[in-house]
Amino acid sequence: MEKLEDIYEDGSIGAPSCSLFAEKLEPCQLVIFGATGDLTARKLIPALFALFVDENLPKPCSIIGCGRTVLDNDGFRQLLVKNSPVDLAGHPRWREFVSLLHYRAIQYDALHTYEELAVFLKELDKRVGTDGNTIFDLAVPPDLYPLISAKLVEVGLSLENEEGRGWSRIIIEKPFGRDLASAKILDAALHRGFSEQQIFRIDHYLAKETVQNTMIFRFANSIFEPLWNRDHIEYVGIVSAEELGVGSRAGYYDQAGVLRDMFQNHMLQLLAIIGMEPPAGFISELIRDEKTKLLRCLRPFAAPGQEDALILGQYGAGKIQGRDVPGYRRENGVRGNSLTPTFALLRVHLDNWRWQGVPFYLISGKRMARKDTRLVIQFKEVPHSMFREVIGDKVGANRLNFGIFPEEEINLSFQAKVPGPRICLRTTKLGFKYYDDSAGPVLRAYEKVLLDCMRGEQMFFWRQDGVELAWEFLEPVLESCEMCGEREERLKFYEAGSWGPEEVRGLMNILMA
Ligand code: BG6
């Protein structure tokens, strides 16, 4: 029999077994297009700075901002300090980090500016010693992706291991198209010069610790997987509820709506992680293969019996944390008669042996009672309750809750006896808080995404076949939401600060309990 000392290398119970980041990162240049924009100042630079402070950036490394605005290096650095939500300049190591930052103005449609950029990158690479390795991060509006990618290809910046170049990678953010056709066009544009291994499609939900932990929970423990099927599970809830409204993004959001904004990407990724079969190894392609197989099992929305599978809502005026907030149609930049849904509940079925008959409820909405992201696995009730005659009630079924926000935690609810002479049951919980007893460095989503790209690790990025399957499934859903003659009647209004339209409250109350 194994001894504890054999199980845990250092002899202590619960010692973590880590493997990641033992390898040395290869030096590289990171070129950010859209460098004067919001995403760069709010997310990318703070993430890169945090990596730098924790000694997690490759050495050497250069960061080159590119944007339409004409600026010099100092102007760029000052702009970042001004627009960042964190106090960059107040940090003792900011001055050191600043020496990695460069800026080049670029006109996105002018080839000669890319040629100049290529010359600049080559010189900088030689000077700094980044071995010709380059990442291009497109922090620009999605309609610029094909243009920028085409120009990079034209000037040879997508080439790998040729003419003094090392590797070359490109990062893009969702939305990956507006529908299947545009997703394919975008993909074809990227593939004109970049291979699939060079393309990193971000989904920040995949970079969340608890989302990744769901996979560890399923496949590194032997006791749950035998229960993970239609024999034991009644239904699954995947919920991303937000308190925030549309904010300053009305221009984008009013065109996209909740289905394109949250379902085509985050919600379907969560579904794939919960539902996929055990991959043969912790290897990017094997995991992405399993997710793809799962997305292929999605029952088409138009199939019989799916008529009531979609509930759409839009928030009206209400109160958030005691403060009055306007309805969606009164938000800045939103059309006064907008029919864009800000809430959706979509019941989906997976047509395979494991999941036949188990509904998955995908739910996401803005301006809801509180921000709460969770995965709920509702197990079946006991087949026969020997307590029914004594307690005169149903015995509550077990439930597994993966909290993603506000708490990263896992809870398993079960029945226990209330102490005392009478037989009385109560629902109680076994709980695990993700960060309890944790000593490891915690990476926020963008830190993880950037680091994985530097490592060439694609496990937590979308692959194109998945993108297309997600659109294929969602297109009829979108059609029913956008083309149907009864669009107005189908949209249910809900008060800001509530758990969504009346029709979903029952389920929401159970899921959010
Ligand atoms: C983004 C959506 O992808 O995810 C936003 O575009 C949404 O509308 C956000 O607010 C939610 O992310 P998180 O991490 O706060 O749950």
Side-chain angles (χ1 to χ4, degrees), residues 43 173-174 203-205 208 240-242 244-246 249 252-253 260-262 265-266 364 366 371 373 404-405 445:
K43 300 277 185 192
E173 300 255 351
K174 74 168 185 68
D203 185 322
H204 79 280
Y205 265 53
K208 289 180 190 274
S240 171
E242 294 187 77
L244 285 179
V246 70
R249 299 163 73 220
Y252 150 76
Y253 194 89
R260 284 192 175 82
D261 187 47
M262 294 294 292
N265 33 74
H266 312 320
S364 179
K366 292 209 181 282
K371 181 160 174 63
T373 316
I404 298 173
F405 191 92

PDB file of all heavy atoms in Angstrom, residues 43 173-174 203-205 208 240-242 244-246 249 252-253 260-262 265-266 364 366 371 373 404-405 445, ligand 1:
ATOM      1  N   LYS A  43      -6.572  46.584 -19.988  1.00  0.00           N
ATOM      2  CA  LYS A  43      -6.300  45.155 -19.744  1.00  0.00           C
ATOM      3  C   LYS A  43      -4.881  44.731 -20.096  1.00  0.00           C
ATOM      4  O   LYS A  43      -4.206  44.089 -19.305  1.00  0.00           O
ATOM      5  CB  LYS A  43      -7.261  44.292 -20.578  1.00  0.00           C
ATOM      6  CG  LYS A  43      -8.719  44.508 -20.296  1.00  0.00           C
ATOM      7  CD  LYS A  43      -9.162  43.713 -19.111  1.00  0.00           C
ATOM      8  CE  LYS A  43     -10.654  43.834 -18.914  1.00  0.00           C
ATOM      9  NZ  LYS A  43     -11.130  43.343 -17.661  1.00  0.00           N
ATOM     10  N   GLU A 173      -9.545  38.866 -30.706  1.00  0.00           N
ATOM     11  CA  GLU A 173     -10.592  38.774 -29.680  1.00  0.00           C
ATOM     12  C   GLU A 173     -11.916  38.511 -30.353  1.00  0.00           C
ATOM     13  O   GLU A 173     -12.102  38.835 -31.516  1.00  0.00           O
ATOM     14  CB  GLU A 173     -10.730  40.138 -28.976  1.00  0.00           C
ATOM     15  CG  GLU A 173      -9.497  40.619 -28.297  1.00  0.00           C
ATOM     16  CD  GLU A 173      -9.575  40.479 -26.795  1.00  0.00           C
ATOM     17  OE1 GLU A 173     -10.660  40.154 -26.284  1.00  0.00           O
ATOM     18  OE2 GLU A 173      -8.535  40.677 -26.158  1.00  0.00           O
ATOM     19  N   LYS A 174     -12.879  37.990 -29.617  1.00  0.00           N
ATOM     20  CA  LYS A 174     -14.216  37.855 -30.171  1.00  0.00           C
ATOM     21  C   LYS A 174     -14.780  39.249 -30.457  1.00  0.00           C
ATOM     22  O   LYS A 174     -14.314  40.197 -29.833  1.00  0.00           O
ATOM     23  CB  LYS A 174     -15.121  37.112 -29.195  1.00  0.00           C
ATOM     24  CG  LYS A 174     -15.539  37.975 -28.002  1.00  0.00           C
ATOM     25  CD  LYS A 174     -16.632  37.316 -27.232  1.00  0.00           C
ATOM     26  CE  LYS A 174     -17.144  38.164 -26.145  1.00  0.00           C
ATOM     27  NZ  LYS A 174     -17.872  39.354 -26.435  1.00  0.00           N
ATOM     28  N   ASP A 203     -10.857  33.647 -25.628  1.00  0.00           N
ATOM     29  CA  ASP A 203     -12.122  33.656 -24.907  1.00  0.00           C
ATOM     30  C   ASP A 203     -11.726  33.797 -23.447  1.00  0.00           C
ATOM     31  O   ASP A 203     -11.187  32.847 -22.855  1.00  0.00           O
ATOM     32  CB  ASP A 203     -12.875  32.333 -25.134  1.00  0.00           C
ATOM     33  CG  ASP A 203     -14.253  32.365 -24.491  1.00  0.00           C
ATOM     34  OD1 ASP A 203     -14.379  32.929 -23.391  1.00  0.00           O
ATOM     35  OD2 ASP A 203     -15.201  31.837 -25.092  1.00  0.00           O
ATOM     36  N   HIS A 204     -11.960  34.967 -22.865  1.00  0.00           N
ATOM     37  CA  HIS A 204     -11.384  35.175 -21.526  1.00  0.00           C
ATOM     38  C   HIS A 204     -12.016  34.247 -20.489  1.00  0.00           C
ATOM     39  O   HIS A 204     -11.452  34.035 -19.427  1.00  0.00           O
ATOM     40  CB  HIS A 204     -11.436  36.652 -21.111  1.00  0.00           C
ATOM     41  CG  HIS A 204     -12.767  37.118 -20.627  1.00  0.00           C
ATOM     42  ND1 HIS A 204     -13.783  37.453 -21.474  1.00  0.00           N
ATOM     43  CD2 HIS A 204     -13.245  37.300 -19.380  1.00  0.00           C
ATOM     44  CE1 HIS A 204     -14.836  37.830 -20.768  1.00  0.00           C
ATOM     45  NE2 HIS A 204     -14.541  37.741 -19.488  1.00  0.00           N
ATOM     46  N   TYR A 205     -13.172  33.640 -20.791  1.00  0.00           N
ATOM     47  CA  TYR A 205     -13.754  32.694 -19.836  1.00  0.00           C
ATOM     48  C   TYR A 205     -12.866  31.457 -19.690  1.00  0.00           C
ATOM     49  O   TYR A 205     -12.797  30.854 -18.635  1.00  0.00           O
ATOM     50  CB  TYR A 205     -15.166  32.277 -20.278  1.00  0.00           C
ATOM     51  CG  TYR A 205     -16.232  33.128 -19.613  1.00  0.00           C
ATOM     52  CD1 TYR A 205     -16.166  34.516 -19.675  1.00  0.00           C
ATOM     53  CD2 TYR A 205     -17.284  32.556 -18.906  1.00  0.00           C
ATOM     54  CE1 TYR A 205     -17.106  35.303 -19.061  1.00  0.00           C
ATOM     55  CE2 TYR A 205     -18.237  33.344 -18.279  1.00  0.00           C
ATOM     56  CZ  TYR A 205     -18.144  34.715 -18.359  1.00  0.00           C
ATOM     57  OH  TYR A 205     -19.066  35.495 -17.734  1.00  0.00           O
ATOM     58  N   LYS A 208     -10.257  31.674 -17.015  1.00  0.00           N
ATOM     59  CA  LYS A 208     -10.660  31.774 -15.608  1.00  0.00           C
ATOM     60  C   LYS A 208     -10.243  30.495 -14.882  1.00  0.00           C
ATOM     61  O   LYS A 208     -10.444  29.389 -15.379  1.00  0.00           O
ATOM     62  CB  LYS A 208     -12.176  31.970 -15.496  1.00  0.00           C
ATOM     63  CG  LYS A 208     -12.654  33.356 -15.967  1.00  0.00           C
ATOM     64  CD  LYS A 208     -14.152  33.474 -15.816  1.00  0.00           C
ATOM     65  CE  LYS A 208     -14.684  34.715 -16.494  1.00  0.00           C
ATOM     66  NZ  LYS A 208     -14.638  35.919 -15.681  1.00  0.00           N
ATOM     67  N   SER A 240     -24.470  33.126 -16.356  1.00  0.00           N
ATOM     68  CA  SER A 240     -23.607  34.292 -16.214  1.00  0.00           C
ATOM     69  C   SER A 240     -24.517  35.511 -16.082  1.00  0.00           C
ATOM     70  O   SER A 240     -25.039  36.021 -17.073  1.00  0.00           O
ATOM     71  CB  SER A 240     -22.686  34.431 -17.428  1.00  0.00           C
ATOM     72  OG  SER A 240     -22.015  35.662 -17.351  1.00  0.00           O
ATOM     73  N   ALA A 241     -24.763  35.902 -14.842  1.00  0.00           N
ATOM     74  CA  ALA A 241     -25.648  37.049 -14.581  1.00  0.00           C
ATOM     75  C   ALA A 241     -24.772  38.256 -14.275  1.00  0.00           C
ATOM     76  O   ALA A 241     -23.786  38.141 -13.554  1.00  0.00           O
ATOM     77  CB  ALA A 241     -26.546  36.740 -13.394  1.00  0.00           C
ATOM     78  N   GLU A 242     -25.131  39.381 -14.848  1.00  0.00           N
ATOM     79  CA  GLU A 242     -24.330  40.591 -14.627  1.00  0.00           C
ATOM     80  C   GLU A 242     -25.183  41.705 -14.035  1.00  0.00           C
ATOM     81  O   GLU A 242     -26.362  41.815 -14.359  1.00  0.00           O
ATOM     82  CB  GLU A 242     -23.779  41.097 -15.956  1.00  0.00           C
ATOM     83  CG  GLU A 242     -22.792  40.183 -16.594  1.00  0.00           C
ATOM     84  CD  GLU A 242     -22.185  40.850 -17.814  1.00  0.00           C
ATOM     85  OE1 GLU A 242     -21.311  41.709 -17.629  1.00  0.00           O
ATOM     86  OE2 GLU A 242     -22.625  40.539 -18.933  1.00  0.00           O
ATOM     87  N   LEU A 244     -24.008  44.870 -14.346  1.00  0.00           N
ATOM     88  CA  LEU A 244     -23.728  45.968 -15.276  1.00  0.00           C
ATOM     89  C   LEU A 244     -24.756  46.030 -16.396  1.00  0.00           C
ATOM     90  O   LEU A 244     -25.277  44.998 -16.813  1.00  0.00           O
ATOM     91  CB  LEU A 244     -22.368  45.753 -15.930  1.00  0.00           C
ATOM     92  CG  LEU A 244     -21.134  46.020 -15.114  1.00  0.00           C
ATOM     93  CD1 LEU A 244     -19.899  45.714 -15.951  1.00  0.00           C
ATOM     94  CD2 LEU A 244     -21.108  47.472 -14.648  1.00  0.00           C
ATOM     95  N   GLY A 245     -24.994  47.235 -16.894  1.00  0.00           N
ATOM     96  CA  GLY A 245     -25.825  47.387 -18.071  1.00  0.00           C
ATOM     97  C   GLY A 245     -24.925  47.428 -19.290  1.00  0.00           C
ATOM     98  O   GLY A 245     -23.790  46.928 -19.263  1.00  0.00           O
ATOM     99  N   VAL A 246     -25.394  48.097 -20.319  1.00  0.00           N
ATOM    100  CA  VAL A 246     -24.638  48.095 -21.562  1.00  0.00           C
ATOM    101  C   VAL A 246     -23.468  49.086 -21.512  1.00  0.00           C
ATOM    102  O   VAL A 246     -22.544  49.019 -22.318  1.00  0.00           O
ATOM    103  CB  VAL A 246     -25.594  48.351 -22.737  1.00  0.00           C
ATOM    104  CG1 VAL A 246     -26.091  49.781 -22.707  1.00  0.00           C
ATOM    105  CG2 VAL A 246     -24.971  48.016 -24.049  1.00  0.00           C
ATOM    106  N   ARG A 249     -20.897  50.719 -24.350  1.00  0.00           N
ATOM    107  CA  ARG A 249     -20.681  49.864 -25.534  1.00  0.00           C
ATOM    108  C   ARG A 249     -21.941  49.698 -26.376  1.00  0.00           C
ATOM    109  O   ARG A 249     -22.090  48.712 -27.101  1.00  0.00           O
ATOM    110  CB  ARG A 249     -20.183  48.497 -25.098  1.00  0.00           C
ATOM    111  CG  ARG A 249     -18.862  48.543 -24.362  1.00  0.00           C
ATOM    112  CD  ARG A 249     -18.651  47.257 -23.606  1.00  0.00           C
ATOM    113  NE  ARG A 249     -18.329  46.137 -24.463  1.00  0.00           N
ATOM    114  CZ  ARG A 249     -18.813  44.906 -24.297  1.00  0.00           C
ATOM    115  NH1 ARG A 249     -19.655  44.649 -23.326  1.00  0.00           N
ATOM    116  NH2 ARG A 249     -18.474  43.934 -25.111  1.00  0.00           N
ATOM    117  N   TYR A 252     -21.803  48.767 -30.180  1.00  0.00           N
ATOM    118  CA  TYR A 252     -21.543  47.351 -30.479  1.00  0.00           C
ATOM    119  C   TYR A 252     -22.704  46.490 -30.003  1.00  0.00           C
ATOM    120  O   TYR A 252     -23.238  45.650 -30.730  1.00  0.00           O
ATOM    121  CB  TYR A 252     -20.231  46.929 -29.795  1.00  0.00           C
ATOM    122  CG  TYR A 252     -20.185  45.472 -29.386  1.00  0.00           C
ATOM    123  CD1 TYR A 252     -19.973  44.474 -30.332  1.00  0.00           C
ATOM    124  CD2 TYR A 252     -20.373  45.096 -28.053  1.00  0.00           C
ATOM    125  CE1 TYR A 252     -19.959  43.133 -29.961  1.00  0.00           C
ATOM    126  CE2 TYR A 252     -20.357  43.761 -27.674  1.00  0.00           C
ATOM    127  CZ  TYR A 252     -20.154  42.787 -28.627  1.00  0.00           C
ATOM    128  OH  TYR A 252     -20.143  41.470 -28.250  1.00  0.00           O
ATOM    129  N   TYR A 253     -23.135  46.710 -28.757  1.00  0.00           N
ATOM    130  CA  TYR A 253     -24.060  45.768 -28.126  1.00  0.00           C
ATOM    131  C   TYR A 253     -25.427  45.760 -28.798  1.00  0.00           C
ATOM    132  O   TYR A 253     -26.049  44.703 -28.949  1.00  0.00           O
ATOM    133  CB  TYR A 253     -24.197  46.091 -26.631  1.00  0.00           C
ATOM    134  CG  TYR A 253     -24.859  44.963 -25.869  1.00  0.00           C
ATOM    135  CD1 TYR A 253     -24.098  43.940 -25.334  1.00  0.00           C
ATOM    136  CD2 TYR A 253     -26.248  44.902 -25.728  1.00  0.00           C
ATOM    137  CE1 TYR A 253     -24.693  42.875 -24.671  1.00  0.00           C
ATOM    138  CE2 TYR A 253     -26.850  43.844 -25.072  1.00  0.00           C
ATOM    139  CZ  TYR A 253     -26.064  42.839 -24.537  1.00  0.00           C
ATOM    140  OH  TYR A 253     -26.653  41.783 -23.885  1.00  0.00           O
ATOM    141  N   ARG A 260     -25.063  36.908 -29.374  1.00  0.00           N
ATOM    142  CA  ARG A 260     -23.733  36.996 -30.009  1.00  0.00           C
ATOM    143  C   ARG A 260     -22.661  37.331 -28.973  1.00  0.00           C
ATOM    144  O   ARG A 260     -21.540  36.863 -29.055  1.00  0.00           O
ATOM    145  CB  ARG A 260     -23.726  38.091 -31.080  1.00  0.00           C
ATOM    146  CG  ARG A 260     -24.428  37.698 -32.346  1.00  0.00           C
ATOM    147  CD  ARG A 260     -24.125  38.700 -33.465  1.00  0.00           C
ATOM    148  NE  ARG A 260     -24.707  38.253 -34.706  1.00  0.00           N
ATOM    149  CZ  ARG A 260     -25.970  38.439 -35.042  1.00  0.00           C
ATOM    150  NH1 ARG A 260     -26.783  39.092 -34.234  1.00  0.00           N
ATOM    151  NH2 ARG A 260     -26.449  37.990 -36.181  1.00  0.00           N
ATOM    152  N   ASP A 261     -23.028  38.175 -28.006  1.00  0.00           N
ATOM    153  CA  ASP A 261     -22.041  38.676 -27.051  1.00  0.00           C
ATOM    154  C   ASP A 261     -21.578  37.594 -26.071  1.00  0.00           C
ATOM    155  O   ASP A 261     -20.404  37.527 -25.725  1.00  0.00           O
ATOM    156  CB  ASP A 261     -22.654  39.856 -26.276  1.00  0.00           C
ATOM    157  CG  ASP A 261     -21.649  40.544 -25.383  1.00  0.00           C
ATOM    158  OD1 ASP A 261     -20.533  40.825 -25.872  1.00  0.00           O
ATOM    159  OD2 ASP A 261     -21.955  40.806 -24.200  1.00  0.00           O
ATOM    160  N   MET A 262     -22.488  36.749 -25.622  1.00  0.00           N
ATOM    161  CA  MET A 262     -22.146  35.798 -24.556  1.00  0.00           C
ATOM    162  C   MET A 262     -22.307  34.334 -24.940  1.00  0.00           C
ATOM    163  O   MET A 262     -21.593  33.474 -24.432  1.00  0.00           O
ATOM    164  CB  MET A 262     -23.038  36.050 -23.317  1.00  0.00           C
ATOM    165  CG  MET A 262     -22.818  37.363 -22.633  1.00  0.00           C
ATOM    166  SD  MET A 262     -21.198  37.525 -21.859  1.00  0.00           S
ATOM    167  CE  MET A 262     -21.282  36.344 -20.514  1.00  0.00           C
ATOM    168  N   ASN A 265     -19.808  32.316 -27.667  1.00  0.00           N
ATOM    169  CA  ASN A 265     -18.459  32.083 -27.177  1.00  0.00           C
ATOM    170  C   ASN A 265     -18.467  31.483 -25.765  1.00  0.00           C
ATOM    171  O   ASN A 265     -18.380  30.271 -25.613  1.00  0.00           O
ATOM    172  CB  ASN A 265     -17.684  33.404 -27.216  1.00  0.00           C
ATOM    173  CG  ASN A 265     -18.641  34.573 -26.934  1.00  0.00           C
ATOM    174  OD1 ASN A 265     -19.052  34.782 -25.813  1.00  0.00           O
ATOM    175  ND2 ASN A 265     -19.033  35.297 -27.987  1.00  0.00           N
ATOM    176  N   HIS A 266     -18.599  32.376 -24.751  1.00  0.00           N
ATOM    177  CA  HIS A 266     -18.402  31.920 -23.363  1.00  0.00           C
ATOM    178  C   HIS A 266     -19.352  30.782 -22.961  1.00  0.00           C
ATOM    179  O   HIS A 266     -18.933  29.786 -22.378  1.00  0.00           O
ATOM    180  CB  HIS A 266     -18.611  33.068 -22.382  1.00  0.00           C
ATOM    181  CG  HIS A 266     -17.885  34.328 -22.744  1.00  0.00           C
ATOM    182  ND1 HIS A 266     -16.615  34.321 -23.249  1.00  0.00           N
ATOM    183  CD2 HIS A 266     -18.252  35.636 -22.675  1.00  0.00           C
ATOM    184  CE1 HIS A 266     -16.226  35.569 -23.466  1.00  0.00           C
ATOM    185  NE2 HIS A 266     -17.208  36.377 -23.133  1.00  0.00           N
ATOM    186  N   SER A 364     -27.919  33.972 -19.552  1.00  0.00           N
ATOM    187  CA  SER A 364     -27.061  35.131 -19.327  1.00  0.00           C
ATOM    188  C   SER A 364     -27.882  36.402 -19.491  1.00  0.00           C
ATOM    189  O   SER A 364     -28.771  36.469 -20.337  1.00  0.00           O
ATOM    190  CB  SER A 364     -25.898  35.131 -20.317  1.00  0.00           C
ATOM    191  OG  SER A 364     -25.094  36.265 -20.099  1.00  0.00           O
ATOM    192  N   LYS A 366     -27.908  40.979 -18.606  1.00  0.00           N
ATOM    193  CA  LYS A 366     -27.338  42.188 -18.005  1.00  0.00           C
ATOM    194  C   LYS A 366     -28.363  42.799 -17.051  1.00  0.00           C
ATOM    195  O   LYS A 366     -29.562  42.538 -17.159  1.00  0.00           O
ATOM    196  CB  LYS A 366     -26.979  43.195 -19.096  1.00  0.00           C
ATOM    197  CG  LYS A 366     -25.828  42.715 -19.964  1.00  0.00           C
ATOM    198  CD  LYS A 366     -25.023  43.866 -20.536  1.00  0.00           C
ATOM    199  CE  LYS A 366     -23.887  43.398 -21.409  1.00  0.00           C
ATOM    200  NZ  LYS A 366     -22.706  42.908 -20.682  1.00  0.00           N
ATOM    201  N   LYS A 371     -24.066  40.260  -9.748  1.00  0.00           N
ATOM    202  CA  LYS A 371     -23.156  39.566 -10.659  1.00  0.00           C
ATOM    203  C   LYS A 371     -22.878  38.187 -10.066  1.00  0.00           C
ATOM    204  O   LYS A 371     -22.425  38.076  -8.924  1.00  0.00           O
ATOM    205  CB  LYS A 371     -21.853  40.353 -10.844  1.00  0.00           C
ATOM    206  CG  LYS A 371     -20.904  39.657 -11.815  1.00  0.00           C
ATOM    207  CD  LYS A 371     -19.868  40.595 -12.368  1.00  0.00           C
ATOM    208  CE  LYS A 371     -18.829  39.869 -13.218  1.00  0.00           C
ATOM    209  NZ  LYS A 371     -19.387  39.224 -14.406  1.00  0.00           N
ATOM    210  N   THR A 373     -21.658  34.224 -11.557  1.00  0.00           N
ATOM    211  CA  THR A 373     -21.385  33.281 -12.647  1.00  0.00           C
ATOM    212  C   THR A 373     -21.202  31.912 -12.021  1.00  0.00           C
ATOM    213  O   THR A 373     -20.381  31.763 -11.103  1.00  0.00           O
ATOM    214  CB  THR A 373     -20.090  33.685 -13.386  1.00  0.00           C
ATOM    215  OG1 THR A 373     -20.112  35.091 -13.588  1.00  0.00           O
ATOM    216  CG2 THR A 373     -19.976  32.985 -14.732  1.00  0.00           C
ATOM    217  N   ILE A 404     -18.006  30.662 -10.057  1.00  0.00           N
ATOM    218  CA  ILE A 404     -16.924  31.323 -10.803  1.00  0.00           C
ATOM    219  C   ILE A 404     -16.789  32.770 -10.327  1.00  0.00           C
ATOM    220  O   ILE A 404     -15.708  33.307 -10.179  1.00  0.00           O
ATOM    221  CB  ILE A 404     -17.206  31.268 -12.323  1.00  0.00           C
ATOM    222  CG1 ILE A 404     -17.253  29.805 -12.775  1.00  0.00           C
ATOM    223  CG2 ILE A 404     -16.164  32.052 -13.113  1.00  0.00           C
ATOM    224  CD1 ILE A 404     -17.689  29.602 -14.209  1.00  0.00           C
ATOM    225  N   PHE A 405     -17.924  33.405 -10.039  1.00  0.00           N
ATOM    226  CA  PHE A 405     -17.929  34.752  -9.481  1.00  0.00           C
ATOM    227  C   PHE A 405     -19.171  34.891  -8.623  1.00  0.00           C
ATOM    228  O   PHE A 405     -20.211  34.376  -8.996  1.00  0.00           O
ATOM    229  CB  PHE A 405     -17.955  35.795 -10.615  1.00  0.00           C
ATOM    230  CG  PHE A 405     -17.703  37.182 -10.100  1.00  0.00           C
ATOM    231  CD1 PHE A 405     -16.420  37.698 -10.058  1.00  0.00           C
ATOM    232  CD2 PHE A 405     -18.746  37.957  -9.615  1.00  0.00           C
ATOM    233  CE1 PHE A 405     -16.189  38.959  -9.546  1.00  0.00           C
ATOM    234  CE2 PHE A 405     -18.507  39.216  -9.106  1.00  0.00           C
ATOM    235  CZ  PHE A 405     -17.231  39.718  -9.070  1.00  0.00           C
ATOM    236  N   ALA A 445      -7.099  36.811 -15.981  1.00  0.00           N
ATOM    237  CA  ALA A 445      -7.391  36.240 -17.302  1.00  0.00           C
ATOM    238  C   ALA A 445      -6.410  36.717 -18.385  1.00  0.00           C
ATOM    239  O   ALA A 445      -5.849  35.903 -19.116  1.00  0.00           O
ATOM    240  CB  ALA A 445      -8.826  36.538 -17.691  1.00  0.00           C
TER     241      ALA A 445
HETATM  242  C1  BG6 B   1     -17.571  39.949 -22.466  1.00  0.00           C
HETATM  243  C2  BG6 B   1     -18.845  40.553 -22.972  1.00  0.00           C
HETATM  244  O1  BG6 B   1     -17.070  39.022 -23.380  1.00  0.00           O
HETATM  245  O2  BG6 B   1     -17.826  39.291 -21.231  1.00  0.00           O
HETATM  246  C3  BG6 B   1     -19.402  41.533 -21.967  1.00  0.00           C
HETATM  247  O3  BG6 B   1     -18.583  41.231 -24.196  1.00  0.00           O
HETATM  248  C4  BG6 B   1     -19.567  40.868 -20.620  1.00  0.00           C
HETATM  249  O4  BG6 B   1     -20.644  42.069 -22.392  1.00  0.00           O
HETATM  250  C5  BG6 B   1     -18.279  40.164 -20.211  1.00  0.00           C
HETATM  251  O5  BG6 B   1     -19.869  41.891 -19.685  1.00  0.00           O
HETATM  252  C6  BG6 B   1     -18.504  39.326 -18.962  1.00  0.00           C
HETATM  253  O6  BG6 B   1     -17.272  38.844 -18.512  1.00  0.00           O
HETATM  254  P1  BG6 B   1     -17.040  38.510 -16.991  1.00  0.00           P
HETATM  255  O7  BG6 B   1     -15.660  37.970 -16.927  1.00  0.00           O
HETATM  256  O8  BG6 B   1     -17.207  39.804 -16.228  1.00  0.00           O
HETATM  257  O9  BG6 B   1     -18.091  37.514 -16.601  1.00  0.00           O
END
